[in-house]
Amino acid sequence: DGGITQSPKYLFRKEGQNVTLSCEQNLNHDAMYWYRQDPGQGLRLIYYSQIVNDFQKGDIAEGYSVSREKKESFPLTVTSAQKNPTAFYLCASSIERGQGYSNQPQHFGDGTRLSIL
Amino acid sequence: DAKTTQPPSMDCAEGRAANLPCNHSTISGNEYVYWYRQIHSQGPQYIIHGLKNNETNEMASLIITEDRKSSTLILPHATLRDTAVYYCIVRPWGYSSASKIIFGSGTRLSIRP
């Protein structure tokens, strides 16, 4: 089945440690996104990428980094500079037609819950 | 900031139609209305979207008012599995950097047995 796979489902980080969250999609989607969700709140955009080898900061990029070396993969690294990393992290993808015109919906993975030890 | 307003919570009897309203009075001509839902501890699930015409798929119907300032998501025969937080979102097309989705607080829908 086509879909978006996020791993691990639960992740624990020690103080001062970088951790990487995996996101893989087999939907042949061009665009991929990372969101953060805090308890009782909506989603906030961290980073997004519309094509391979290109990505842009979202609203809360500080303390995070990404790479997009392959169309299928968009890993997110939570660095030690992110002082409040405990949250639910969601990866999404969507078709992007040429020239950025798109009304296609974003499809989400089931998330990674990150906690601080 | 989210550009939509939804009631914080609603409930509906199982088997009845659930009608979830959304106000988007500042919607622009190039913005679509999208609906997602999120079941606890899962990723948001896409339901339906539309521009100005009413839309229907296997999950739900979307009714958009003629002035496009509000819409209603209809789940025709609600089941206990429809218990979730429902998000109404407006998002432009034809604008390459506007791909992000801005989620508001949503409506928490509870289905009564």
Side-chain angles (χ1 to χ4, degrees), chain A residues 16-84:
Chain A
Q17 185 181 48
N18 294 353
V19 292
T20 298
L21 284 61
S22 171
C23 178
E24 303 277 333
Q25 54 97 0
N26 60 3
L27 299 167
N28 200 31
H29 284 173
D30 298 298
M32 298 186 73
Y33 315 83
W34 275 104
Y35 293 90
R36 168 181 172 142
Q37 186 175 36
D38 292 285
Q41 298 187 28
L43 277 65
R44 292 183 290 168
L45 182 67
I46 305 173
Y47 268 98
Y48 67 100
S49 168
Q50 292 179 303
I51 57 172
V52 175
N53 292 323
D54 186 51
F55 48 83
Q56 287 79 40
K57 293 181 179 180
D59 299 318
I60 55 165
E62 185 175 352
Y64 300 97
S65 66
V66 294
S67 63
R68 187 83 188 278
E69 298 177 1
K70 298 186 299 182
K71 187 176 184 178
E72 306 79 27
S73 178
F74 192 42
L76 173 74
T77 296
V78 184
T79 75
S80 57
Q82 172 49 242
K83 297 307 180 187
N84 185 23

Side-chain angles (χ1 to χ4, degrees), chain A residues 29-31 33 50 94-98 100-102, chain B residues 91 96 99:
Chain A
H29 284 173
D30 298 298
Y33 315 83
Q50 292 179 303
S94 66
I95 295 172
E96 289 290 322
R97 295 176 182 167
Y101 284 74
S102 173
Chain B
R91 177 185 158 217
S96 62
S99 299

Side-chain angles (χ1 to χ4, degrees), chain A residues 33 35 37 41-43 45 48 50 59 88 90 96 100-106 108-110 113, chain B residues 32 34 36 38 41-44 46 49 87 91-97 99-104:
Chain A
Y33 315 83
Y35 293 90
Q37 186 175 36
Q41 298 187 28
L43 277 65
L45 182 67
Y48 67 100
Q50 292 179 303
D59 299 318
F88 189 43
L90 288 157
E96 289 290 322
Y101 284 74
S102 173
N103 65 2
Q104 295 303 304
Q106 294 181 15
F108 288 81
D110 278 336
R113 194 167 297 278
Chain B
Y32 279 74
Y34 293 78
Y36 287 78
Q38 188 173 23
S41 294
Q42 296 182 21
Y46 164 75
H49 74 285
Y87 295 99
R91 177 185 158 217
W93 69 280
Y95 180 47
S96 62
S97 64
S99 299
K100 67 180 179 181
I101 289 178
I102 300 176
F103 279 62

Side-chain angles (χ1 to χ4, degrees), chain B residues 31-63:
Chain B
E31 289 181 318
Y32 279 74
V33 180
Y34 293 78
W35 283 84
Y36 287 78
R37 70 182 182 184
Q38 188 173 23
I39 297 169
H40 183 63
S41 294
Q42 296 182 21
Q45 178 188 22
Y46 164 75
I47 302 172
I48 198 167
H49 74 285
L51 183 63
K52 55 184 178 180
N53 297 321
N54 297 338
E55 302 288 343
T56 295
N57 63 21
E58 65 278 5
M59 290 182 67
S61 295
L62 174 61
I63 308 299

